[in-house]
Amino acid sequence: MFRLLGDLDVRAADGRPVAAGRRKQRALLVMLLLRAGTVVRADEIIDALWDGDPPSSARANLHSYVFGVRHVLDEVAPGGASTLVTSSAGYRLDLGDGECDVGVFDAAAADGRRALDRGRPREALDRLTVALGLWRGPFLPDLADLGWVVPHAARLTESRLAAIEDRAEACLALGEHAGLVADLAVATAGNPLRERLWARYVRALQATGRRTEALAAYETIRAALADELGVDPGRELQELQAQLLDEPVHRPPALLPPAVADFTGRAEEVRRLRKALSPHTPPSGLTVLGITGMAGVGKTTLALHVAHSAATAYPDGRLYANLAGAGPNPVPPADVLARFLRALGVPSPAIPPDPDERAELYRTLLDGRRVLVVLDNAASEAQVRPLLPGTAGCTVLLTSRVRLSGLEGARWSELDVLTEDDGVRLLARIVNDARVGDDSAHDTAAADVVQLCGGLPLAVRIAGARLTSRPSWTLSRLVALLRDEKRRLDRLDIGDLQIRASLALSEDALRPSARRLFRALATVDGPDFGGWLATVLSDQLPERASLDLDDLVDAHVLSAVGTDSAGQTRYRFHDLVRLYARDEDPGDVVRTAIGGWLAVAERLEPALPGPCYAPIPGSAFRPDVAAVLDDLRGVEPLDWFDAEQAGVRAVIRQACAAGLHEAAFDLAQRMEKYFDVRGMYAEWATTNRLVQAACAGAGNRRGEAVVRRGLIDVNTWISDDHGTEAMARSLDEALELQDLFRELGELGGAADAAVMRSWGLTASGRRDEAIAAARDALRWAGETGHLGGQLRAHISLALAHREQAELGEALEHLFQALDRARELGNPRQVASVLQFLGIGHSEYGALDEGEAYLTESLEISERHRDGYTSALTRIGLARLHLRRGDAEARPAAEAALAHAREYRMPHHMADALGILGEIELNAGHPAEAAEYLRESVALWRTRGWLRFQAAALVLLGRALHELGDPSAAHALREAQTLFTDAGDADGATGAAAVLRELRV
């Protein structure tokens, strides 16, 4: 096999490399290969080999080179189809099918083009992927200076670009965008004036929802064409720009729950609020409107009614949150901000963990927009203030049981009970049959119902629901029932008693099993829940539990609020209904509920990508969830966790408060993969800290150890705490955790902690100790069958050996890690090992192999939206391009830095900044280099990884020296000391050499 698409590579049939000889013999072989099947004259060959100035021995030398070529052909395939024929006219090389990659490429690319033209994109994609996969780098770089090679190189380079464009076209037609944007970003960077390629890049960005980047790409090609050629982009690019300008940046959020169809009365309040919500002149400041009144008076119903009627005045979206102010656990404003930011298009990993930073980002996103923010059931001014937009244009509509007088500038509407007439009209609309008229003067029984309900809309609604569900009942029967059982419903100042009485009527009509389910469901915390929870908490068979759930909805004590990402119907209690139905001692119910979540989660969690800690199940009760799992068959585990994560976090908090620490730690560990892959690091840390405190207070050292394990990782790699060196802190905490797990007899957990120790030891330059810790981890993981621990231990061993430039040992451990990752079936771990393989190969010069591993890793990470893993892969690709001297190095490094900054990854930020600094230094821009490198060094100081910090200091020293800054010597001497402390003798020698070279 002869490979020309890259460095010249000749292989025997068994894959063994064959030496192609000296430069002129290689050139002759390439010439014959490129013109295979045709006669090449001897004088033509001589003229090409000696560039028109042959020596007198040229013909004799040519015979020698021909002999060498024949020997190469014999080595490749003795007696094979490839033969060199000599004639009086010259030489002709006859090749067998598929013997040269150039011919294979041309045929596959042509097949792909034809398939695309015939509307067969899948076939086109397959053939073009084969064609482009043959390229290993630039065409014959060691022969590129030969004049006769230039036209062949130009022809093949053009064919390769056309194939890239065609493949992109096929991917776009199939909707397969994974990796396409990254590929086209690299291709366009090297071809700044190629319009067809840029058009596909813009389309790929558009197809993946990256409108802003697509517009920026269009502007880049437009400016390049104007500067270089003085022309505008062609029709295709101009039409793409027009489409992009017509697209919304993000679909406006529309979070309002449905308005109540039978809304009645409140004419004056509606008129006043509508006028305020739809001003005729631009507002001079933020508009805050409040609705206050007693429980059940209809604050939420009124707010939603006017919000929907004014929706068109807010084209940039409508946000809604129930702040749960009536309950014991009002929703923290930071949680609401996270939900609002996601609705406004911010991905979970990019949401700041700090509440103040979340509020700042929220106000920034709303600046200049017209958005309506509905804050329902507010508890206090402190809960509301972080949720207020910062500028005019937006309007806040909030409801609260109490007037929040501390909110400056808020205009309040005090909501009273319904008048008798409006109450009767509401009852008539709910019942909607002949039993109730809408004229109270002629329907005294209906008026009596309204009066006995205290005029409270919630109570009227529940009474109406009773009548609707019992067609045989008369109004008189309902009135008698109300008078007999609830005689205290005569005055408004009785407060919740009116609501309690109405709810009691509704509950009395339920069958006993539905009544028990009603009480049980109301006991469980959370904003809403999936219908499966009824199956878990009911004492009936699943079919009966489902019917009971329907009865609760029909009785208006429970609301169905839509379908979640896992296809489950979700349900929600009104706050007052939940308060009414709750048992004072929730222990048994919460125990069963959290056990249900745990039983389902531990069945679905192994299929999630993410950390592969040793599972350490607790002794918590687990109910039978076979029916639930049957219903979830075919549901993607990530979809289920997406739907349930808010409820799981709420029930974990409730379990901690109820002393159910065994279940709390077990469920918390089942959420760690999900939190990680979705980038919900603040939620991960908050949950684990809460459970840790509960376990510590109860003396549950095993549970405390399990949640501390995840906390160490989060605090090491994601935390914004720069007060201590992250790796040193991690090392100390991991040692304590390892000792605790060993004391508890949990060797799987001890293996996880030992891996963390190994990383910390490697970072501090204690290589031998790092290897010993990783070997401990490998041994303990092996004894417990902990595959994830084994693969992480192999990665740690590879890392420790890599620090000492021991490539062979490092690669051996990485390949063993890859075997275990694939056996485990965890995409995150496969991507991580491929990532380290790519970085390792590229560090030792095997750039093509390194790029292949890194590209595969990135594709896996992007497929699973795994931002953390993809960040380091992007760093690896940026450094690989830098080693090659590719123009792609800068855009790759800038993309890596932007990704790391967005997801707050200080280790990766420092790495990317160092690459950009080195690029600027190599380009002769020491001032720009120093700016990048100062930030890189500052970040490395917070990480505590000696070798990385030292390398950044060497680059900074060089930049400072070129600027004439005397602190260059200090930076280089510090680097030399750090290399020495890290046990890197070569690095220390190199830093000293730079000191001598620069004479500083």
Side-chain angles (χ1 to χ4, degrees), residues 598 602 605 613-618 622 652 662-674 684 687-688 691 702 706-707 709:
L598 175 58
E602 68 185 359
E605 178 259 358
Y613 303 135
I616 302 178
R622 290 157 171 80
I652 287 174
E662 192 75 12
F665 94 75
D666 208 343
L667 185 53
Q669 74 173 317
R670 300 296 175 179
M671 292 297 293
E672 290 181 317
K673 279 186 182 179
Y674 174 78
W684 184 359
T687 299
N688 280 30
V691 176
R702 191 158 164 271
V706 168
V707 292
R709 177 177 57 187

Side-chain angles (χ1 to χ4, degrees), residues 826-846:
N826 187 317
R828 152 68 71 83
Q829 302 309 318
V830 173
S832 293
V833 180
L834 290 170
Q835 173 190 89
F836 286 113
L837 279 167
I839 292 171
H841 277 82
S842 62
E843 281 184 351
Y844 290 96

Side-chain angles (χ1 to χ4, degrees), residues 612-700:
C612 51
Y613 303 135
I616 302 178
S619 60
F621 168 72
R622 290 157 171 80
D624 181 6
V625 293
V628 177
L629 292 171
D630 283 344
D631 289 341
L632 291 174
R633 191 171 298 155
V635 172
E636 288 294 326
L638 263 175
D639 290 339
W640 186 84
F641 277 90
D642 281 337
E644 298 294 340
Q645 59 90 10
V648 169
R649 289 189 290 131
V651 80
I652 287 174
R653 290 193 296 269
Q654 190 176 14
C656 289
L660 301 172
H661 46 85
E662 192 75 12
F665 94 75
D666 208 343
L667 185 53
Q669 74 173 317
R670 300 296 175 179
M671 292 297 293
E672 290 181 317
K673 279 186 182 179
Y674 174 78
F675 285 142
D676 196 11
V677 78
R678 283 292 186 250
M680 297 174 66
Y681 302 116
E683 290 83 353
W684 184 359
T686 299
T687 299
N688 280 30
R689 288 193 190 103
L690 178 70
V691 176
Q692 181 184 3
C695 289
N700 186 343

Side-chain angles (χ1 to χ4, degrees), residues 179 393 406 417 429 505 570 697 961:
V417 296
R429 291 188 180 185
L505 286 173
R570 300 203 73 78
H961 175 72

Side-chain angles (χ1 to χ4, degrees), residues 287-298:
T287 301
V288 179
L289 306 173
I291 303 172
T292 188
M294 65 178 296
V297 80

Side-chain angles (χ1 to χ4, degrees), residues 88 100 123 183 344 403 475 574 638-639 716 820 837 868 884 923 967 999:
S88 59
C100 181
E123 179 184 340
D183 291 344
L344 291 166
R403 181 187 291 267
L475 279 171
H574 185 288
L638 263 175
D639 290 339
T716 300
R820 285 158 177 79
L837 279 167
Y868 183 82
R884 275 185 178 154
S967 63
R999 297 185 177 88

